[in-house]
């Protein structure tokens, strides 16, 4: 069990949106013991209001909530804060719910009942990734290659005349590849650093993200020039300038 | 599937419709071939007046009747499948809701157990967590019981224990127990009127009815919730009017509230969790008492009134009520024999 004095993310502010009081009390206790500052609200409306008026580092969000459900809350938060880490914690196990949650930009999806240690590790992993991403993008928030432009702060992109927005995870994968430009990055490495080792996520997930990124930026996604596949090794980001 | 129209199995309807269709085809082929043979035999000498008109008329009328039969068959199948589809959708919702209702308390219990196992927790805090776990265990038990009981009621397997009570006394007692159970202030539920007439009641089942109605009133009211229970006796019925000042129910939804798995979704009201079985359960219990329940609301924001009518003992539904008492007696005798 992580002790609060060992936690590098001590003092991180977590918004806990959970309408089951008994569960919320237990979660609040455990997160506080880890050194986080927890604000608990019990419906979707309060979550939106609270998020608008206070600063948070991470959100733990239930789906079945009074007034606004978790999906709506996540969408609203994403509109103003594309980088906010959102962990959906719900009893809904259907694949369609999981897909919807991740599609609207949740960074992780856990189902109830859950293991306490796993939850705490995931929270820590998300905060770690957020810190890495923020420090990595602070120096160079906008990255250009050929006719493409990526703004890692607001996640907006331009490829030729086409504009679109990346999800947080897509941006993280791309950022990691760009940071290791010219070097081979294995799928395992991406999983460890962008997903923070998630046993539920297979290496195929990484491939799916690469396919999406190629569709966004490559002139011909089947013959990629920027995100190249390196047989039996992983992926490598290069630009024509790299030769 | 309930209702007179759906007692015949849809597959049978489908087979009959197909038979009707094939018969129609056969008749028309026969009609055409026989006319063709006549024309061939008589050839150019045939005078049009010689063709028997009756065959045409019979074939036409039979054809039309069979076609109508096919259409009705198809229509019934369509309605049946449509209802099944709606039921399946509601059932999917129900499964989702039940999953949530069962997993939430379970998640909470697991969380506290893991917390107690992994952390050094002060004794006072431990006690608090154990109390929360007990609360969740009760919640879980109640939810499992309610799901199993409904199944029992539907299959008529629940052994009801009916007795003759004075309506006024038993209703006041049961409502008092519900108020205590939900830890409501005494003012939250006000009982008016009198019902000094005898009625046959399964005490535990009627408690479930009041628990559900009070719980609903609390959930769907802006605080502080307030419920008025009005009791009265007509010559044949005990009438219980259960009124709250909650958010009300629109006329369209009033028709559906007692349906199985039905839940009302509205942006303006808290997304109150539940299985969609509560009011269905209430209706089934009242029905087994020989009574009926209806709902009335002037619309959104204007409160809701549930009206329960139970037969007065020996004044209404005498045979049915006596049968309930007889079943109870037999059940008790069997229990005594077992002891």
């Amino acid at each position: 069990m992580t002790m609060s004095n060992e936690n590098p993310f001590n003092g991180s502010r977590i918004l806990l949106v959970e309408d089951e009081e008994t569960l919320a009390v237990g979660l609040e206790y455990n997160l506080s013991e880890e050194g986080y500052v927890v604000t608990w609200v019990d419906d979707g409306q309060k979550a939106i209001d609270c998020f608008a008026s206070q600063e948070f580092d991470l959100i733990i969000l239930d789906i079945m909530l009074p007034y606004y459900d978790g999906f709506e809350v996540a969408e609203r938060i994403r509109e103003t804060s594309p980088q906010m880490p959102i962990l959906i914690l719900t009893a809904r196990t259907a694949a369609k719910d999981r897909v919807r949650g991740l599609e609207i930009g949740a960074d992780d999806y856990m189902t109830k009942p859950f293991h306490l240690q796993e939850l705490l590790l995931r929270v820590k992993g998300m905060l770690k990734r957020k810190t890495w991403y923020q420090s990595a993008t602070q120096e160079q928030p906008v990255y250009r290659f050929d006719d493409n432009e990526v703004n890692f702060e607001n996640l907006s992109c331009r490829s030729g005349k086409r504009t679109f927005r990346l999800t947080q995870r897509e941006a993280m994968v791309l950022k990691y590849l760009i940071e290791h430009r010219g070097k081979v990055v294995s799928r395992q490495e991406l999983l460890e650093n962008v997903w923070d080792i998630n046993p539920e996520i297979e290496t195929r997930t990484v491939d799916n993200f690469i396919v999406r990124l190629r569709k966004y930026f490559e002139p011909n996604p089947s013959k990629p020039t920027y995100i190249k596949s390196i047989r039996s090794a992983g992926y490598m980001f290069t630009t024509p300038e790299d030769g | 599937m309930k209702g007179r129209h759906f007692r015949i199995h849809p597959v049978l309807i489908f087979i009959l419709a197909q038979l009707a269709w094939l018969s129609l085809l056969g008749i028309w082929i026969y009609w055409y071939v026989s006319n063709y043979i006549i024309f061939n035999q008589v050839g150019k000498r045939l005078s049009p007046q010689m063709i028997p008109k009756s065959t045409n008329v019979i074939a036409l009328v039979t054809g039309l009747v069979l076609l109508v039969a096919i259409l009705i068959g198809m229509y019934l199948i369509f309605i049946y499948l449509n209802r099944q589809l709606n039921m399946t959708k509601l059932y999917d919702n129900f499964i989702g809701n039940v999953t949530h209702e069962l997993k939430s308390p379970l998640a909470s219990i697991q969380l506290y157990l893991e917390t107690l196992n992994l952390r050094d927790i002060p004794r006072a805090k431990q006690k608090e967590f154990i109390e929360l776990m007990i609360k969740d265990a009760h919640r879980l038990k109640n939810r499992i019981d309610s799901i199993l009981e409904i199944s029992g009621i539907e299959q008529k397997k629940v052994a009801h224990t009916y007795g003759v009570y004075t309506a006024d006394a038993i209703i006041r007692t049961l409502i008092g127990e519900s108020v205590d159970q939900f830890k409501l202030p005494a003012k939250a539920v006000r009982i008016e009127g009198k019902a000094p007439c005898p009625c046959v009641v399964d005490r535990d089942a009627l408690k479930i009815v009041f628990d559900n109605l009070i719980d609903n009133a609390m959930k769907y009211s802006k605080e502080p919730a307030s419920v008025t229970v009005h009791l009265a006796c007509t010559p044949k019925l005990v009438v219980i009017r259960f009124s709250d000042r909650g958010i009300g129910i629109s006329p369209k939804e009033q028709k559906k509230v007692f349906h199985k798995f039905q839940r009302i979704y509205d942006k303006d009201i808290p997304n109150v969790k539940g299985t969609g079985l509560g009011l269905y359960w209430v209706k089934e219990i009242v029905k087994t008492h020989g009574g009926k329940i209806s709902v009335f609301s002037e619309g959104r924001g204007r409160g809701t009134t549930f009206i329960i009518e139970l037969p007065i003992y020996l004044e209404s539904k005498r045979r049915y009520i006596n049968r309930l008492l007889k079943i109870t007696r037999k059940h008790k005798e069997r229990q005594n024999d077992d002891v």
Side-chain angles (χ1 to χ4, degrees):
Chain A
M1 177 59 56
T2 317
M3 301 302 289
S4 60
N5 53 2
E6 292 170 4
N7 189 351
F9 303 104
N10 243 344
S12 294
R13 292 145 303 178
I14 294 178
L15 175 61
L16 173 63
V17 191
E18 172 61 67
D19 67 333
E20 294 283 342
E21 191 186 347
T22 51
L23 190 63
V25 169
L27 281 172
E28 193 178 16
Y29 173 81
N30 278 290
L31 292 167
S32 302
E33 284 291 297
E34 291 297 305
Y36 304 120
V37 179
V38 184
T39 304
W40 166 45
V41 290
D42 60 2
D43 70 50
Q45 181 65 62
K46 285 181 198 162
I48 291 166
D49 294 345
C50 195
F51 185 77
S53 61
Q54 293 177 46
E55 293 273 315
F56 292 100
D57 297 302
L58 184 139
I59 296 169
I60 298 176
L61 186 61
D62 188 12
I63 288 182
M64 290 175 84
L65 292 167
Y67 299 113
Y68 290 99
D69 68 28
F71 294 128
E72 290 169 293
V73 174
E75 274 171 337
R76 296 242 184 157
I77 288 170
R78 277 283 167 265
E79 281 169 16
T80 55
S81 184
Q83 290 183 35
M84 177 58 57
I86 300 175
L87 167 65
I88 289 183
L89 183 62
T90 176
R92 286 165 78 150
T93 50
K96 62 174 184 180
D97 292 321
R98 188 181 285 267
V99 168
R100 192 177 165 200
L102 296 173
E103 267 180 0
I104 58 173
D107 298 82
D108 213 341
Y109 192 102
M110 277 186 88
T111 55
K112 297 173 190 170
F114 55 89
H115 288 293
L116 173 62
Q117 280 176 306
E118 189 188 344
L119 175 88
L120 296 173
L121 280 173
R122 288 198 191 194
V123 166
K124 205 171 181 183
M126 287 168 78
L127 290 167
K128 192 172 110 189
R129 287 193 299 277
K130 188 192 176 197
T131 311
W132 160 73
Y133 186 82
Q134 276 178 342
S135 62
T137 54
Q138 221 161 22
E139 288 173 18
Q140 194 186 7
V142 179
Y143 183 78
R144 290 182 189 87
F145 54 105
D146 288 351
D147 206 11
N148 300 300
E149 187 180 289
V150 185
N151 185 326
F152 283 104
E153 266 180 1
N154 61 19
L155 310 186
S156 65
C157 298
R158 188 180 52 75
S159 178
K161 287 179 181 171
R162 202 162 48 92
T163 57
F164 50 91
R165 184 175 271 202
L166 295 179
T167 65
Q168 177 68 23
R169 187 82 70 179
E170 288 165 351
M172 280 180 164
V173 175
L174 185 62
K175 184 74 196 167
Y176 195 86
L177 289 171
I178 290 171
E179 272 202 342
H180 296 81
R181 188 172 145 173
K183 291 178 193 161
V184 178
V185 177
S186 71
R187 291 177 178 84
Q188 193 59 34
E189 191 181 340
L190 275 169
L191 274 178
E192 282 176 13
N193 291 289
V194 176
W195 276 267
D196 197 36
I197 307 177
N198 189 334
E200 281 179 33
I201 292 174
E202 299 168 15
T203 48
R204 209 175 49 222
T205 309
V206 177
D207 299 340
N208 291 339
F209 273 82
I210 297 294
V211 168
R212 271 148 66 176
L213 289 175
R214 281 174 178 163
K215 273 185 191 164
Y216 291 140
F217 300 107
E218 298 283 0
N220 182 0
S222 56
K223 287 183 183 169
T225 51
Y226 305 120
I227 306 170
K228 290 176 182 159
S229 296
I230 309 297
R231 203 178 173 82
S232 310
Y235 297 101
M236 184 166 70
F237 182 86
T238 54
T239 58
E241 300 156 27
D242 301 325
Chain B
M1 181 64 61
K2 288 180 181 178
R4 193 176 290 173
H5 295 296
F6 299 96
R7 284 193 185 149
I8 305 171
H9 198 279
V11 172
L12 186 63
I13 298 172
F14 185 73
I15 290 168
L16 289 174
Q18 295 307 308
L19 283 175
W21 165 249
L22 288 171
S23 306
L24 172 68
L25 201 67
I27 287 168
W28 278 354
I29 289 169
Y30 171 73
W31 174 50
Y32 177 82
V33 171
S34 57
N35 278 353
Y36 183 74
I37 291 167
I38 291 167
F39 271 106
N40 264 355
Q41 282 173 350
V42 183
K44 289 178 183 173
R45 289 180 292 118
L46 177 69
S47 163
Q49 285 81 1
M50 284 179 70
I51 301 168
K53 283 182 181 168
S54 59
T55 314
N56 293 350
V57 173
I58 291 167
L60 188 67
V61 171
T62 315
L64 285 173
V65 169
L66 291 173
L67 260 179
V68 170
I70 291 168
L71 286 175
I72 292 172
M74 294 301 170
Y75 174 73
L76 291 177
I77 290 170
F78 175 76
I79 298 283
Y80 176 84
L81 290 179
N82 208 26
R83 288 198 181 181
Q84 281 295 96
L85 198 67
N86 284 339
M87 188 54 90
T88 309
K89 278 183 193 164
L90 285 173
Y91 186 70
D92 284 347
N93 280 343
F94 166 74
I95 292 295
N97 291 330
V98 163
T99 307
H100 183 273
E101 293 294 295
L102 298 180
K103 280 191 172 177
S104 292
L106 185 64
S108 181
I109 292 169
Q110 183 173 326
L111 173 66
Y112 288 115
L113 287 174
E114 289 189 13
T115 307
L116 290 169
N117 190 35
L118 294 167
R119 294 187 191 278
D120 288 328
I121 300 169
R123 193 143 183 84
K125 204 76 188 166
Q126 279 183 24
K127 198 168 181 308
E128 184 193 326
F129 287 174
I130 288 166
E131 277 167 8
L132 288 170
M133 277 195 278
I134 292 169
K135 193 175 160 188
D136 276 321
H138 276 299
R139 208 151 56 108
L140 198 55
K141 180 193 170 293
N142 288 341
R143 285 169 188 180
I144 292 170
D145 280 352
S146 70
I147 293 162
L148 295 179
E149 280 266 333
I150 292 230
S151 160
I153 283 181
E154 284 184 331
Q155 293 170 32
K156 311 285 180 204
K157 282 180 186 166
V158 178
H160 291 290
T161 46
Y162 290 92
V164 184
Y165 296 89
T166 304
D168 203 275
I170 187 73
I171 292 167
R172 283 174 191 272
T173 307
L174 293 178
I175 288 176
E177 285 176 16
S178 294
V179 170
D180 289 344
Q181 184 183 317
F182 290 108
K183 293 181 180 150
L184 300 174
K187 276 193 231 164
V189 181
R190 200 172 75 238
I191 304 175
E192 294 176 346
K194 281 185 178 168
C197 38
C199 63
V200 169
V201 159
D202 177 338
R203 196 184 186 287
D204 295 339
L206 200 62
K207 170 81 172 22
I208 291 168
V209 170
F210 293 137
D211 282 352
N212 268 288
L213 293 180
I214 289 177
D215 189 36
N216 270 358
M218 298 301 140
K219 279 178 183 171
Y220 294 104
S221 290
K222 284 168 188 163
E223 290 186 22
S226 156
V227 176
T228 305
V229 184
H230 188 271
L231 306 177
C233 286
T234 67
K236 290 195 169 184
L237 297 170
V238 180
V239 183
I240 310 159
R241 297 174 71 88
F242 208 95
S243 309
D244 65 48
R245 292 189 300 192
I247 56 160
I249 309 172
S250 69
K252 193 181 158 195
E253 285 159 350
Q254 285 171 36
K255 291 177 190 165
K256 294 192 213 161
V257 289
F258 296 111
H259 290 187
K260 197 176 184 182
F261 308 141
Q262 196 72 47
R263 299 200 64 232
I264 296 169
Y265 294 95
D266 193 306
K267 207 77 200 147
D268 297 332
I269 62 170
N271 176 20
V272 179
K273 289 166 182 174
T275 54
L277 287 175
L279 285 177
Y280 172 73
W281 196 9
V282 164
K283 186 191 78 180
E284 291 296 311
I285 290 171
V286 172
K287 220 164 79 180
T288 53
H289 279 74
K292 64 177 185 181
I293 183 165
S294 53
V295 64
F296 170 76
S297 171
E298 285 182 9
R300 279 291 150 114
R302 298 187 172 185
T304 307
T305 300
F306 287 94
I307 304 155
I308 299 172
E309 294 174 344
L310 297 174
I312 292 179
Y313 182 48
L314 297 179
E315 293 297 333
S316 174
K317 294 206 171 186
R318 191 184 290 198
R319 278 180 67 185
Y320 179 79
I321 299 297
N322 281 333
R323 208 183 109 243
L324 292 180
L325 291 170
K326 197 174 159 189
I327 292 170
T328 305
R329 268 198 306 277
K330 277 190 180 171
H331 180 67
K332 278 183 185 164
E333 280 168 14
R334 222 175 296 138
Q335 276 183 325
N336 289 337
D337 289 346
D338 290 344
V339 172

